[in-house]
Amino acid sequence: MFILRYRQFVLVNVLVWGVLNVSPVQAVTQAQLYQLMDDLFATYKPEVRPTTAGEATYVYIAIYLLSIQNLDEKSQVLESSIIVEADWEDDYLSWNEASYGNVSYFFYPQKKVWLPDVVIENSVESQKQLGYDENVVMVDSSGLVTWRPSQVIKTGCDIDVTYYPFDTQVCNIIVSTWMSTKDDIDIDPDAGSNGLILSRYSTSGTWELVSNELENLPTENGLTRIQFKIKLKRLRTYYVLNIILPVLFLSFTASMVFFLPADAGEKIGMCITVLLAYAVYLTIIADNMPQTSLQVSYLAVYLTLLLGLTAMGVVLSVIVLHIHHKTNDCRLGRRSELIIRKLRKIFGINRAKEGEEEGTVNRATPKQKDSEKGLNGHLGHITSSNRVVLRTAVTPLADNAAFSPPPCYNESREELTWPKVAETIDRVMFISTSFVITLITIIIIPILASGS
């Protein structure tokens, strides 16, 4: 009977402890934990650096990069989300696990333990302690303290806009002590860390993280410093579709102003429209770039050149329209006439209409008309003798042979009018402007693409 009751007791205890997932040892450890807190923090001062030998406290730093929030080119600020992991030995927070129910670690609020005065040196915001008061640290029985504050930081970043929007930027995150010198706190990279830890990194839609490096910076004013270097390449698809392609399309319209006939009445309106379009795109690009003179953007230079060509097109269009509407009272100079005729021949502009040339060639003189009339009169009195008819018909033509036009008269030169002069200037400027714009585009666009 006793053995049966003992087995029932054991079975009930096993079932109870299995359901509750606790053990008698854990209950004791809970009590020991309170005793451990009282013993450790009875005389603990968070203001005192935790070393008993007066040596420097070694703080090992590692940074987890969570995401790139934003890179503001205009203000030259990199906004990123990070987790800073810092480890150090606190000689005042170590204990014997066997004396406290095998408690190996515990969590404690960060404001109640000593923390190194570690800051982000190149932050553009006011310097402040990492983390927050409710954040906790993990304390190990050996005295190892692990601190993992997460924070969104804003750091300065020198922006190079030379190849915008095909640019690659290098930004730094510098970690250093605020007041403690190297004799007090020595910051070292975490063992095995070669840069930012990317195990939790979330990719950005604007920037591609190409690489990151870690390097120890020289001591400055006795402060220890480490630097995390980030290399970012801009994702170009958005900018190609919204900036590069529209600018290229607009570049073809700049020369089409000179292809538009002067009688259409829309030359000036088209010039002003293209000019304003370039001015708008130049303003958009200027708003996204920092106000610096250290670098010059090739894209801004390209737009400025196109803007200058379009402004020149407005002036030339006004001149062309003025020439087109000149009256015939004002005659063209001989030298200017030779130049215009030469240009019309070089650029293949039609010299005369076919109807006008045929009318000039077939135009008869008064003597020819009289001879034809006399010939018809004689033909009206033809008799049976064919020889008499032929002599009578040929004699007037032989008499008027001196008045027949020379062979070169068939290629008579066209009469130059002011509309034709304006047409010639338009054609010359159309070809010249198209060549210049194409040449500038072929030079600038590959230079921009080489920046990536």
Side-chain angles (χ1 to χ4, degrees), residues 170-173 211-215 227-231:
V170 178
C171 300
N172 302 319
I173 299 177
S211 63
N212 73 94
E213 302 175 357
L214 172 63
E215 60 181 0
Q227 174 178 270
F228 297 89
K229 184 179 294 185
I230 309 172
K231 189 175 184 180

Side-chain angles (χ1 to χ4, degrees), residues 67-73 75 77-80 204 206-207:
S67 63
I68 300 295
Q69 302 286 349
N70 183 34
L71 179 55
D72 191 348
E73 297 91 344
S75 58
V77 172
L78 172 65
E79 183 179 356
S80 55
S204 171
T206 306
W207 296 95

Side-chain angles (χ1 to χ4, degrees), residues 297-309:
S297 173
Y298 286 115
L299 182 59
V301 173
Y302 178 62
L303 285 175
T304 303
L305 291 176
L306 294 180
L307 186 68
L309 289 174

